[in-house]
Structures are given as structure tokens and as C-alpha cells.
Amino acid sequence: MMRTHSLLTVLLWSCVFYVIHMTPSQKRTNKHSHSERITGLSENDGKTLHRTKRGWMWNQFFLLEEYTGPDTQYVGKLHTDQDKGDGNLKYILTGDGAGSLFIIDENTGDIHAAKKLDREEKSLYVLRAKAIDRKTGRQVEPESEFIIKIHDINDNEPKFTKDMYTASIPEMSGVGTSVIQVTATDADDENYGNSAKVVYSILQGQPYFSVDPETGIIRTALPDMSRENREQYQVVIQAKDMGGQMGGLSGTTTVNITLTDVNDNPPRFPQSTYQFSSPESAPPGTPLGRIKANDPDVGENAEIEYSISNGDGSDMFDIVTDKDTQEGIITVKKPLDFENKVLYTLRVEATNTHPDPRFLQLGPFKDTALVKISVEDTDEPPVFGRPWYLIEVDEDTKEGSIIGHVVAQDPDTAKNAIKYSVDRHTDLDRIFNIYSGNGSLFISKPLDREETPWHNITVIATEINNPKQSSQIPVFIRILDINDHAPEFANYYETFVCENAKAGQLIQTVSATDKDQPPRGHKFFFELVPEFAAHPNFSVVDNKDNTAGIMTRRNGYSRSKTSTYLLPIIIFDNDYPVQSSTGTLTIRVCACDSRGNMQSCSAEALLLPAGLSTGALVAILLCIIILLVLVVLFTALKRQRKKEPLIISKDDVRDNIVTYNDEGGGEEDTQAFDIGTLRNPEAREESKMRRDVIPETIFQIRRTAPLWENIDVQDFIHRRLKENDLDPAAPPYDSLATYAYEGNDSIANSLSSLESLTTEGNQDYDYLSDWGPRFKKLADMYGGEDSDRD
């Protein structure tokens, strides 16, 4: 800043001395007025001539443009040596801007600029000043002219002569080839400082082009730029004043550069062999089919001339070039005879008509293909113009859009009209359809390349007048990919981080997959979601090879605090439009050994006592298993102690048991029930067998602890119910009837069979012995007093 201030001071004083030197001096003013104020001589006057000393005095004659100070800018002071300071003189200023731009103090002669001036509008002002005696009104000095010059500041940026330039250059041009020159002008003073010194630079368009910083000439910077790879380039040029130094003003322009074509590509047939057929009745000049050699060039560089080089049919057929489509049309040259020859072979050659000698070293600019023509008898079905069709269509093509055409013609002389249809056996989903009149294929349903990349359908051409005459042709439809799927993780990753991990340690490498298939291959980019861009625990490092590494960012992790981390990662692809997805990586905190091998990730392991070793845990587990085995063995032994049931013979009486569900008469039936047995548990214990089931001696009667007379009936029932539920030896026909207890001192007598247990003596079953051998077992069971105990 000090150096800049010093430089401005020197320039300011230089301008002061320059203006003083260039403006009229006092001596010059005196000389100028000498012719007017000289004393005249006459014959009668012999006085000597002399000049009167007078003159103007001023000390400043320049201004800086765009002055923005708080007060008016001081220009200078007019003063004459006739001014004695008594106020008798009046100063008057006239000329450019007097009174509006420049104001003078008529008493002192001080001149001020009333407004902000712009050098680019007017760089100097010519003014005239005079001094008048207030009393006499006469000029004390002759009117004098002086100039006020406006000094420049850098307040204008460079401007190009055009907002946009258009240029072209042949492809494959050498490095340094001139493309176009751009020019920028600066309205500032080019003779004062560097305000108008412009330097050119390129902002966009590298590394293909460069610009000369002084002249603005744009040149090529890369060799062998191919139009077939890229045709249009947009270059942005910047012009900066102050010699390109910092603080200078700048302007930009856009240059659209087009690579023009040169003949650097030879024609090439897409297939080596073509097959056509012709009816024998076809007259000369009948077109049999079209072949086309592809040439990436355009214009006259892509013009192709077709010819028949050799073959046994070179005198029977001819080929002409369609100038509009650059196709070779094979026609009949002489009448054909099916009985004479049925197959002709031609070798067709395609040659560029305007070869470029500079590229002849790349190889011959021609190609050949074999054309086979079969002669057919009359009355033949329609014939397509080619053996098959290949159609490419984008997968986002809308329904109803035409995707291609198939053409067939009747080789017969009748030239019957043909209608087209799609063989539905080859298109079961009815995705494609065809206009029957012109063979235009169109889409009926949406396409999905990821589901079906190819569709092979068959198109049928049928003569309208003779439906029996029809022919088929395969149409291969290739679905072109668009970027409509977002990339995602290639696998499900089970990621863990050791508790003793160090910062900067790689814990997982992730990759991505995408259902799309871009032509230049997949390119994926990985990064954390914006909310986790500064994750305190982990970071994502893109490896630039479609993989990314998950790195730790700190030392040590604790399962007791956080056992699992969720790390969301965004995956981008590089196709257009860019697709992205967010995958969440689950990272578990695990215990590891010193070499980083995982030992345990379970959070429950932290709850075990710290003093228990692995051997102790195994011992505890073995003890539990042994206890379980002992319980199972005890249960099995107890079941083996059961005796076989008594009724195992053919004379099983269970079929003769009849159940009667007889209910009492309610509260008024005094013989309805008697719960005395329930209130006398000992009587229940004396009953050895139940009468409502088939008796089995294998089930032994369990004895319970004696109960008191005043035991609660409900508690007694619940205890009996619980004992029967837990007894594995309970008889399968066991049933437990529950009687609601309604209070003491009931006068009703019980109707239940349980009443027999309260009788003073047991029932006599000795009569069973008289019933014969069929009831011997019942007599043994119930006939004796000790039978129940047995």
C-alpha cells in the first residue's frame, strides 16, 4: 500500500508539472497581449515604446475523474497582478461547463468542480477567464483561454467486440493451429498507467485450446482431435486490464468452436455377405435390394460410389448409388432364367469419392462385400429387402412410438400388395405391433432393459390377394440402456470394529453394483450423507476404483456404551442423469485379540462375572446337562414301576359301561346332594377305587396329609385338582366333579355315589363269586376286605 501511494504521488506531481508547462504562462500571456497593448508611434510623438507588465496566475489545471469526496473538487485559482485584494476586481469564467460543471468565486478566482466528471465522456474542457473592474466595468486583463484535463482512473472493464464468437477448424489439425482472434477494448486512457492494458486468458476449453495473452489468438492445444468423438467445443476467454495484475477489471466472452469434417474414415460394410432373390420374370432395372457401407464422415467426405468388381453375375446385375441415402441399389441388368441358373455371386465394392491424400497411409478407403442373388420361379411369396433387421431403441421410449420399419415386396410380376403382421408366438406379451400397410414397428407396452435386453420377434409379410403367399423375417430389437437405476451395495456387509482399534484403521471395504450398463463402464463415488459428513467415529475414503474404505477416526470403542453404529453412505454413479442411493452400514463393536481377530460381539457377554473363565462356564453348562439327564431318568423309572392294568383279557367290560347324567331337583330336593364327604377328607381317603371308571390296580391310591374337620371345601377341591393335574400316574378315565359350596348346615342329603364312602360298612360284593368265571376278577377285586389294599 505504501508503494502504491508513493507511485500515485509521483504521477500526480508529474501531471501538475506537465499541465503547468503545457498551459499558457505569464510570459506567453504578456506576449499575446503585446500586439493589443503596444503604444502607438506618430510623426509628432517621439516617445519610446514600452510594455505594461500584467498577467494571469493559476496553479492547477487537472482533475481526477469519478471524484467521490464530501466537498466539491478544487480545480485552481485565477489571479491577476492587477488584483490588489481590495475587492474591486470581478472574475468571470466562460467556456465548456462554466456555471454548471465549473463554478468560480468571482471575488477570489477559485474554481471548483460542481459535479463528478467522467473522462470517458469528455477528457478535457476549454475555458476562458477574464477580470473586470467592478467600478468601471472594463477588463483589466484581456480574456485568456486555458484547458482543464481529466485524468483517468481504472473504472472501465475490458469489453469484447462480440458477446459470442463462432469459429470452425478442420479435425485432426496440428497443435498450434490458429482458430480465431478475439479482441477486447478498454475505455480507460491507454496512455496513462496500465488501466487499458489488456491480457487474455482461457477460463474454459483446456486442454483442447489455448489463447495468446497479448493478441487474443486462440490456437489448438491437442493433436488429432476427432470430430467423430466430439464435434462442438465451448471456450470461455477472459480479458483483464492492469496487465492481468490483481485488482484489475475483467470481461469474458464465449467462443463456440466446431470441428469440421475431413475424410479420415474409410467406408465399411456392417456385414460381409448380403443375400437377395429375384423372380425370373423381373424386368431389367428391377431393384433387388439395398446395401450400405457405413462412413462416420459427413458431407462429401461420406459420399460413396458402389461398383461390382467381379463375380459370375457381373454381367447380369448392376449396382447404382442412391445419392440421398448413400446406399447401393442392386438391380437386374439382363433378363433372368430360373431354369438356366438359380444363384449368382457378386463382389460389391464401396469407395469414397473424395479421398484425402493426408490419410491414405491409414489404409485403402474402400471395402468389399459379397452379394448372393438367387433366382426364383414365378408366383413367389413377398421378399424382404434384407435377411434380418436390427433395431435399437431406448428403454424409456414412450408407448406408440415408431421404432423402425420393415420392407417386403412381391417378386412376382403382379406386384401384389402386402400386409404386415407380427407372429404372436414370438411376442407373447404383445409388446410390439406393426402397421399392416407400411411395415412400421411401434411399441405397445413399456420397455425395461434390465428385465429383457433383447427381443427377437418375427414379422410376417402376406400378399393381400393371395394370403397363402407369405414370408417371415426375424427382427432383433436391442433395448438401449438409460441410467434409471441407482447404485447400491454389492453385498450385505457384516462389519465390526475392535474395541482396541486405532485411529486410521481400515475395518471394511465396500463396493457397489448397478443394474444399468453404461457404455464406458461403471464409475461409482462414495461419501457420507451430509448430516454425517463429520462423523466422529468413522470416515469413508473413496478408493477411486469403485470401492470405498471404512476407516476409524479415533482410538478405542466400548461395547458397554455403544454396541452398534449405523453409518449411512451415499453412492453415486457417473452416468446421466446421475443416480444415487443411500446404504446404511451396520458396524458392531467386538472384542478382539491382539492381532485383530474377532472373539465376541455379543452384548450379553458383558453381563457375566469378570472372574469366570471359559473353563468355568463349560463346567457350569455340564452340570446343568447332568441334572437334566437325572430328571429324565427318574421320570422314566417311575413310569416303569406302574403295574399292568387288570383288564387285559378279551373280556373287557368297558364297553358295557353306561353313563347316566341325572341331575337333582335343585334346592327343594333334599336328597339332591350331600357335601359331607368333601368336608370329611378322611372318608375320601378310605375310598380305594372309583366306580365311574374301570379299575386298574397299576394306579395306586396316593395318601395325602390329614385334613381337619373344619377345612374349607373350596380349598380342598383346588388342592385335589392340583394333585391330579401333577400326577403322571393318574388313570386315563379319571374325572373330577366340582361341587359349589353353598354354606354349612344344609338339610339336603347327597345323591352322589360319594355318599357310599360315609356309610359305616362297605358294600358286600361276595355275590360276584356266584356269577361264574367271567366275573372272577371282579370278585377278587371287590369280594374280599383286603382286595383294595392289594
Side-chain angles (χ1 to χ4, degrees):
M1 292 296 293
M2 293 298 296
R3 295 179 60 186
T4 304
H5 180 72
S6 300
L7 179 60
L8 292 175
T9 304
V10 172
L11 291 175
L12 183 62
W13 280 107
S14 299
C15 294
V16 171
F17 292 141
Y18 173 80
V19 174
I20 294 176
H21 177 71
M22 294 301 296
T23 53
S25 63
Q26 181 179 358
K27 180 178 179 181
R28 181 182 174 184
T29 304
N30 293 335
K31 183 178 180 180
H32 172 74
S33 60
H34 175 70
S35 60
E36 300 177 359
R37 302 294 302 277
I38 194 168
T39 303
L41 294 175
S42 63
E43 296 179 354
N44 300 326
D45 192 356
K47 295 182 180 180
T48 305
L49 297 175
H50 66 278
R51 293 181 298 177
T52 303
K53 183 179 179 181
R54 64 176 64 90
W56 291 102
M57 297 176 61
W58 46 75
N59 59 5
Q60 187 173 359
F61 303 92
F62 69 93
L63 289 177
L64 290 176
E65 66 172 340
E66 305 294 342
Y67 176 75
T68 58
D71 301 325
T72 57
Q73 190 176 5
Y74 181 71
V75 178
K77 184 180 182 65
L78 296 180
H79 186 70
T80 177
D81 53 4
Q82 300 295 324
D83 189 355
K84 304 302 182 180
D86 53 3
N88 291 330
L89 294 183
K90 178 181 180 182
Y91 295 95
I92 299 176
L93 184 67
T94 60
D96 296 338
S100 58
L101 296 179
F102 303 98
I103 300 175
I104 187 171
D105 189 335
E106 62 181 14
N107 296 322
T108 63
D110 292 329
I111 302 175
H112 290 81
K115 297 180 180 179
K116 181 172 64 175
L117 303 178
D118 188 357
R119 190 202 67 84
E120 285 69 44
E121 294 181 1
K122 191 175 182 63
S123 61
L124 57 87
Y125 294 84
V126 179
L127 299 172
R128 291 177 298 278
K130 55 186 177 180
I132 300 176
D133 192 325
R134 292 181 182 272
K135 296 179 179 180
T136 63
R138 299 180 58 185
Q139 296 185 13
V140 298
E141 288 284 351
E143 187 178 72
S144 180
E145 182 178 278
F146 65 94
I147 297 174
I148 298 178
K149 186 176 182 181
I150 309 301
H151 277 187
D152 183 43
I153 64 172
N154 188 19
D155 61 339
N156 291 278
E157 70 275 8
K159 294 184 178 180
F160 286 89
T161 56
K162 296 181 179 180
D163 294 334
M164 180 177 294
Y165 292 82
T166 302
S168 62
I169 185 174
E171 65 175 334
M172 310 300 289
S173 297
V175 177
T177 303
S178 176
V179 180
I180 192 176
Q181 183 178 15
V182 295
T183 304
T185 58
D186 197 322
D188 294 324
D189 189 359
E190 61 183 5
N191 297 321
Y192 180 73
N194 294 328
S195 298
K197 186 177 181 180
V198 177
V199 174
Y200 300 94
S201 62
I202 184 168
L203 299 181
Q204 176 182 319
Q206 296 174 329
Y208 306 102
F209 300 93
S210 62
V211 64
D212 189 290
E214 296 181 0
T215 63
I217 297 176
I218 300 175
R219 303 179 186 274
T220 58
L222 284 181
D224 302 331
M225 288 192 294
S226 176
R227 183 199 64 83
E228 287 73 26
N229 294 334
R230 183 176 177 182
E231 184 177 2
Q232 299 288 338
Y233 295 85
Q234 189 175 76
V235 180
V236 178
I237 302 298
Q238 181 190 65
K240 191 173 185 179
D241 59 15
M242 297 298 292
Q245 297 178 1
M246 184 180 297
L249 304 178
S250 63
T252 60
T253 188
T254 301
V255 183
N256 293 323
I257 302 175
T258 303
L259 295 184
T260 58
D261 186 65
V262 297
N263 193 5
D264 60 338
N265 293 282
R268 289 288 181 265
F269 283 104
Q271 58 194 71
S272 60
T273 304
Y274 295 84
Q275 292 184 352
F276 300 98
S277 60
S278 173
E280 59 178 342
S281 59
T286 301
L288 303 181
R290 293 172 175 254
I291 62 174
K292 187 178 188 323
N294 298 326
D295 192 337
D297 299 324
V298 295
E300 66 176 15
N301 296 321
E303 293 180 0
I304 300 174
E305 187 69 29
Y306 295 90
S307 62
I308 298 176
S309 59
N310 54 41
D312 56 3
S314 58
D315 58 339
M316 301 298 296
F317 302 93
D318 198 3
I319 186 169
V320 295
T321 303
D322 189 336
K323 298 300 183 181
D324 296 330
T325 62
Q326 297 300 315
E327 293 177 317
I329 306 174
I330 300 176
T331 61
V332 178
K333 187 176 182 181
K334 295 180 180 181
L336 304 174
D337 187 0
F338 176 81
E339 289 73 21
N340 185 22
K341 191 170 185 178
V342 297
L343 183 63
Y344 292 90
T345 302
L346 305 176
R347 185 165 292 278
V348 179
E349 184 176 270
T351 307
N352 277 139
T353 58
H354 299 85
D356 194 333
R358 295 177 299 171
F359 305 102
L360 293 179
Q361 71 275 7
L362 299 178
F365 278 66
K366 61 182 180 180
D367 195 17
T368 60
L370 197 65
V371 179
K372 296 181 179 181
I373 302 175
S374 60
V375 180
E376 299 178 349
D377 201 0
T378 57
D379 195 15
E380 294 294 330
V383 177
F384 287 93
R386 59 184 67 178
W388 47 267
Y389 284 86
L390 174 62
I391 299 176
E392 294 183 342
V393 58
D394 293 330
E395 64 175 318
D396 61 343
T397 303
K398 296 182 179 180
E399 299 177 30
S401 301
I402 296 177
I403 61 174
H405 304 269
V406 296
V407 179
Q409 59 184 358
D410 183 14
D412 301 334
T413 56
K415 299 296 181 183
N416 294 324
I418 298 173
K419 65 178 181 179
Y420 300 89
S421 61
V422 176
D423 186 358
R424 290 305 172 189
H425 294 90
T426 61
D427 186 23
L428 298 176
D429 296 331
R430 296 182 176 269
I431 299 177
F432 304 95
N433 214 329
I434 191 170
Y435 290 108
S436 61
N438 58 10
S440 298
L441 284 165
F442 63 92
I443 300 174
S444 300
K445 293 182 179 181
L447 302 175
D448 188 356
R449 187 204 66 83
E450 287 70 32
E451 182 178 354
T452 307
W454 285 87
H455 295 271
N456 302 328
I457 65 174
T458 300
V459 176
I460 303 174
T462 307
E463 293 182 8
I464 296 178
N465 296 334
N466 188 7
K468 295 181 179 181
Q469 297 295 338
S470 64
S471 59
Q472 299 179 351
I473 187 171
V475 179
F476 306 106
I477 302 174
R478 180 184 180 186
I479 310 302
L480 301 179
D481 184 37
I482 63 171
N483 194 29
D484 58 345
H485 288 83
E488 56 188 13
F489 281 134
N491 300 298
Y492 174 76
Y493 297 97
E494 295 184 355
T495 307
F496 71 92
V497 62
C498 296
E499 288 184 305
N500 56 356
K502 303 298 183 181
Q505 181 177 340
L506 176 66
I507 63 172
Q508 181 70 61
T509 300
V510 297
S511 60
T513 184
D514 195 337
K515 294 180 180 180
D516 297 316
Q517 291 183 352
R520 294 179 297 275
H522 288 295
K523 183 64 178 177
F524 301 124
F525 305 94
F526 302 83
E527 65 179 36
L528 288 174
V529 297
E531 292 82 2
F532 293 85
H535 200 283
N537 300 303
F538 306 95
S539 62
V540 177
V541 178
D542 195 335
N543 297 327
K544 308 301 182 182
D545 60 351
N546 293 344
T547 64
I550 310 302
M551 312 292 292
T552 58
R553 296 192 62 182
R554 62 186 181 88
N555 296 327
Y557 297 82
S558 175
R559 280 184 298 165
S560 60
K561 295 182 179 179
T562 304
S563 61
T564 303
Y565 293 91
L566 298 179
L567 191 66
I569 300 174
I570 303 179
I571 312 173
F572 302 89
D573 58 19
N574 67 328
D575 209 351
Y576 180 83
V578 175
Q579 300 286 349
S580 65
S581 67
T582 301
T584 301
L585 195 65
T586 302
I587 304 175
R588 296 184 299 162
V589 180
C590 302
C592 304
D593 57 16
S594 59
R595 292 178 295 179
N597 297 323
M598 181 180 66
Q599 291 182 336
S600 174
C601 294
S602 175
E604 287 78 7
L606 298 175
L607 302 177
L608 295 176
L612 292 179
S613 62
T614 304
L617 294 176
V618 173
I620 294 173
L621 183 61
L622 289 176
C623 291
I624 294 174
I625 294 174
I626 292 173
L627 290 175
L628 292 176
V629 171
L630 292 176
V631 171
V632 172
L633 291 176
F634 177 78
T635 304
L637 291 175
K638 186 175 181 181
R639 290 184 178 181
Q640 289 179 358
R641 294 176 183 175
K642 296 179 181 179
K643 295 182 180 180
E644 293 295 331
L646 296 176
I647 304 175
I648 58 176
S649 66
K650 298 180 180 180
D651 300 329
D652 194 343
V653 299
R654 286 179 291 181
D655 294 337
N656 299 324
I657 296 176
V658 179
T659 302
Y660 296 95
N661 296 323
D662 187 10
E663 297 182 357
E667 289 292 328
E668 296 179 359
D669 188 355
T670 57
Q671 302 298 324
F673 59 87
D674 184 9
I675 62 171
T677 303
L678 297 179
R679 296 190 56 83
N680 187 4
E682 297 299 334
R684 170 65 179 168
E685 291 297 323
E686 293 177 1
S687 178
K688 304 304 181 182
M689 298 299 294
R690 292 173 52 184
R691 297 184 179 182
D692 58 341
V693 298
I694 299 175
E696 293 180 356
T697 58
I698 191 172
F699 301 108
Q700 299 180 0
I701 301 302
R702 296 176 288 103
R703 291 196 174 272
T704 59
L707 301 176
W708 292 272
E709 275 291 322
N710 58 351
I711 188 171
D712 185 70
V713 175
Q714 186 176 4
D715 182 68
F716 170 79
I717 293 173
H718 288 168
R719 292 184 60 179
R720 283 293 183 264
L721 180 61
K722 184 176 181 181
E723 290 174 2
N724 281 272
D725 290 339
L726 298 178
D727 187 5
Y733 296 95
D734 181 36
S735 63
L736 183 63
T738 302
Y739 297 89
Y741 177 60
E742 298 183 359
N744 297 326
D745 300 330
S746 175
I747 62 174
N749 294 325
S750 175
L751 297 178
S752 173
S753 60
L754 295 176
E755 185 180 359
S756 61
L757 297 177
T758 61
T759 58
E760 296 179 355
N762 293 329
Q763 187 175 354
D764 188 7
Y765 293 100
D766 293 339
Y767 60 90
L768 293 176
S769 301
D770 301 332
W771 287 11
R774 295 175 60 89
F775 298 93
K776 183 177 182 303
K777 289 185 178 181
L778 290 176
D780 294 339
M781 293 174 58
Y782 298 97
E785 182 180 359
D786 298 332
S787 61
D788 290 343
R789 294 185 179 88
D790 293 338

